[in-house]
Structure formats: structure tokens, C-alpha cells
Amino acid sequence: MIYLAGGRMAVQIQHDGRRRFGSRDWGAGSEAERAAAYAGYNAYCGTFSVPEPGVVVHHVELAIHPDQPGMDKRRRYALEGDELVLRTQDVEPTNGPASSELRWRRRRA
């Protein structure tokens, strides 16, 4: 069986309801407003591989978080009809283990 390797990928996800700064100037917003904007947004890109059925690995090259380039993000995936479902690996925040499930639905022409 052949698995994919070397494909390119990019992710940009933002929380609903992010507050606007009232200006498109790059330096707009107070320090607290910029911190809140950063906390409500995630972006990274790089290559991906599919080392085994049901698993995709994102090999991060660039990221909004300065410590993530060079890391691998292992995801479980499933195709459910017109949806691609990705589940993140568990993380250990201060309030206990958590993971995310992301769903993309194929758009019909």
C-alpha cells in the first residue's frame, strides 16, 4: 500500500467574534487587544504525510506560534461521506486533557 508524502498544507482558523481594532494599521490595538487577537487565531503551514491509514502528520514549517516550526502535528482522520474529520492529539492544559475535532464538508459545484 502507498501512503502520501510531501504534499503541501496550510491551516488558518479563527474564533468567531474576534474584536476589531478599528484600524487596519499593523500596529493598531492595545497590547491586551493584540494578545486577545493572537489567542483567538491559529495558523501554520508546511508539508504533510500519511504514514498509515487514518493518520495524517502535518510537518510545520511556518506558524503564528514561534515555537511550532519544526514540530509534527499528528492527526487522526476519517472520511464520512462529504466530510473530512480531523481529530487533534490530546493536549494537557491546566484544566485537564483536551482535543479538538475539525470537520470540513465538500462543497458541491
Side-chain angles (χ1 to χ4, degrees):
M1 184 169 272
I2 298 174
Y3 300 112
L4 297 174
R8 305 290 301 170
M9 55 75 55
V11 174
Q12 293 195 42
I13 299 172
Q14 75 173 26
H15 290 212
D16 288 340
R18 289 173 71 219
R19 292 189 180 195
R20 295 180 174 266
F21 297 149
S23 170
R24 291 185 176 168
D25 182 67
W26 187 250
S30 68
E31 188 174 325
E33 288 170 323
R34 288 192 305 272
Y38 173 87
Y41 196 86
N42 190 14
Y44 63 89
C45 66
T47 60
F48 72 90
S49 59
V50 182
E52 60 189 81
V55 174
V56 63
V57 180
H58 296 164
H59 309 287
V60 181
E61 295 175 3
L62 300 171
I64 193 169
H65 191 296
D67 293 338
Q68 288 189 354
M71 78 180 291
D72 289 340
K73 294 177 177 264
R74 184 180 176 89
R75 309 281 192 242
R76 304 280 316 157
Y77 76 86
L79 296 172
E80 298 176 0
D82 285 344
E83 288 189 337
L84 168 63
V85 181
L86 288 180
R87 178 167 285 283
T88 64
Q89 69 272 24
D90 288 340
V91 294
E92 287 286 339
T94 56
N95 57 347
S99 67
S100 295
E101 182 177 280
L102 308 169
R103 290 179 172 265
W104 284 271
R105 181 170 290 131
R106 181 187 316 219
R107 184 174 178 173
R108 297 290 179 178

